[in-house]
Every structure is written in C-alpha cells, then in structure tokens.
Amino acid sequence: MIQAQKLKKSFLFDASGKIIEVLKGIDLTIHSGEMLAVEGASGAGKSTLLHILGALDRPTEGKVFFRGEDIFARTDAELAELRSRHVGFVFQFHHLLPEFSALENTMMPGLIQGLAARQAGKNAENILARLGLGDRLHHKPGQLSGGEQQRVAVARALMVQPEVILADEPTGNLDTQTGEEVHQILERINREQGITIVIVTHNPALAARMNRRVRLADGWLHEQS
C-alpha cells in the first residue's frame, strides 16, 4: 500500500545554519491490512516519519508511493485531498474542538468532504456507537474521560473511511488500562475492517502485539524480530 524510498528529512537547527539530519535514507514498505509498530526513543524522528507517510510534511529527499503513485509529485492541494479521502490520523493529544460535542467532532471530516449534515451525523452516530460511545454523543470533550476523548479521535479518523490509520502515540497520554482499551479498539478495526494501521509507540509491550515491528534509531530504520 505504502512504499517509502530513501527518505531523508533535515531541519535547520538555528540561525548559525547548523543542519540536523533526522531521517538519513529510510526504506519502508507497508502492506495492505497489516498492523505495523514504529518504535524508537523520544526524539528519534518517529513522528517526523509518520507525518511524511501521511503527507502532512514533505521529505527533504526521497519518495513515498501510495498504491504505486508518487504522492509528492502532487500539489499541496492535491495532497490535502489525498489525506482527506484515504488517511485517518490519531494523535497522542486528541485535538478535539472543545466547543463541539463528540458527535460534532466526529462529523467534521465528513462535512469537509462535502457530505450532507444529516448523512454525516448518521454516519458519525453509527461509528461512535460501535466504539461504545452511543450514550456520549452530545457530551463535549471536557465532559469525557481521557479514554473517551481518544475514542472520539479514533471515530473522527474513521469518518473518512480511510484505507490507513496513522496513530502517533495514541495511548501515550492514557493510563495503562485505558490505553489497553484504545489499543484493543484499533486491533478490532484492523481485524474487522481490514484497515492498515501504523502506530508510533515507545511502549514495547504494545509493539510486541503488532503484526510487524520496526525501530528508528540514529536516522535509520531497522526491522525487529
């Protein structure tokens, strides 16, 4: 589904002109329907890699192919269209809009795609119910627990009917039990809907349960047994 070739990403460190190489030439193939864990220490570049794979950022060098197409040959507007129709994102901090309810937050990607409000609401309600939030539809984020907020974030990602979900430390801000519940939800989504899921994590116990593991260290990616 996704193939990265010789990905490099560098950042200008400060006004002195010092360049920091975060990714030094990464090759990675992600197969349709798999669950992949990307492990690594804090600051290793895991989020940077995820953002490039999801077309949120462009690499300094290298290519990313989505179903055989070089995505960075697209314009920024075309990349936004790709993200909105094929990729769902879940972050450590849920980024829900505090003034909107769980239902309204979930509806947002559908509305952005041009879905009628009535249909978007129906789809969002069905997704939230499947994630155990049928009785929390009209609660705002501040009225939800951390785990419930993250489930709303997962529901929002599912709203676009994505082919792949990219999750950046989705359980990193949760207690152990709540994090386990969120991870089980992602496993169920993968198993029942066949959605490819890539999870960035520093949790080795969580990573060990994935179909496949890779580790990012010193700008290079290594397959884990």
Side-chain angles (χ1 to χ4, degrees):
M1 175 180 284
I2 299 174
Q3 186 174 31
Q5 294 182 352
K6 298 180 173 24
L7 281 189
K8 294 184 179 182
K9 184 65 177 181
S10 301
F11 295 96
L12 185 65
F13 182 65
D14 56 27
S16 70
K18 182 178 180 181
I19 300 295
I20 301 296
E21 273 191 297
V22 178
L23 306 179
K24 299 179 179 179
I26 285 176
D27 295 320
L28 176 65
T29 298
I30 301 170
H31 303 285
S32 181
E34 80 172 335
M35 289 191 76
L36 172 69
V38 180
E39 300 176 84
S42 178
K46 303 185 302 296
S47 295
T48 298
L49 175 60
L50 204 72
H51 290 175
I52 293 173
L53 294 177
L56 287 171
D57 193 12
R58 292 178 181 268
T60 305
E61 295 181 31
K63 295 182 178 181
V64 174
F65 295 90
F66 182 82
R67 297 208 176 280
E69 179 194 353
D70 178 4
I71 64 172
F72 292 115
R74 294 187 175 206
T75 65
D76 288 347
E78 290 169 337
L79 285 178
E81 177 74 6
L82 173 75
R83 291 192 301 269
S84 72
R85 297 198 174 276
H86 300 284
V87 185
F89 294 94
V90 181
F91 301 101
Q92 178 176 354
F93 300 100
H94 47 74
H95 300 306
L96 300 178
L97 298 173
E99 66 271 30
F100 293 109
S101 68
L103 182 65
E104 291 165 335
N105 268 284
T106 304
M107 289 170 61
M108 289 293 179
L111 296 174
I112 291 170
Q113 280 189 353
L115 205 60
R118 183 183 180 90
Q119 187 62 54
K122 182 178 179 180
N123 291 357
E125 187 172 343
N126 288 339
I127 293 169
L128 287 165
R130 291 205 308 270
L131 297 185
L133 294 171
D135 60 347
R136 295 287 191 271
L137 300 179
H138 304 293
H139 287 61
K140 293 183 178 179
Q143 299 170 309
L144 300 172
S145 70
E148 288 171 336
Q149 291 174 27
Q150 196 62 304
R151 277 188 278 165
V152 174
V154 173
R156 181 181 57 191
L158 290 171
M159 191 63 190
V160 300
Q161 297 181 313
E163 293 184 66
V164 58
I165 289 177
L166 303 177
D168 192 353
E169 298 282 8
T171 63
N173 201 37
L174 304 173
D175 62 68
T176 302
Q177 180 178 340
T178 306
E180 173 66 18
E181 291 170 358
V182 170
H183 184 66
Q184 286 180 1
I185 286 171
L186 292 171
E187 286 182 324
R188 192 174 81 232
I189 289 167
N190 171 260
R191 183 175 63 252
E192 295 178 356
Q193 300 183 44
I195 296 174
T196 304
I197 296 180
V198 180
I199 298 180
V200 159
T201 182
H202 63 266
N203 184 334
L206 186 154
R209 292 165 48 179
M210 309 285 277
N211 302 141
R212 186 168 145 236
R213 303 162 64 185
V214 295
R215 184 168 187 84
L216 187 59
D218 299 320
W220 301 98
L221 208 58
H222 310 275
E223 290 280 345
Q224 300 285 94
S225 58

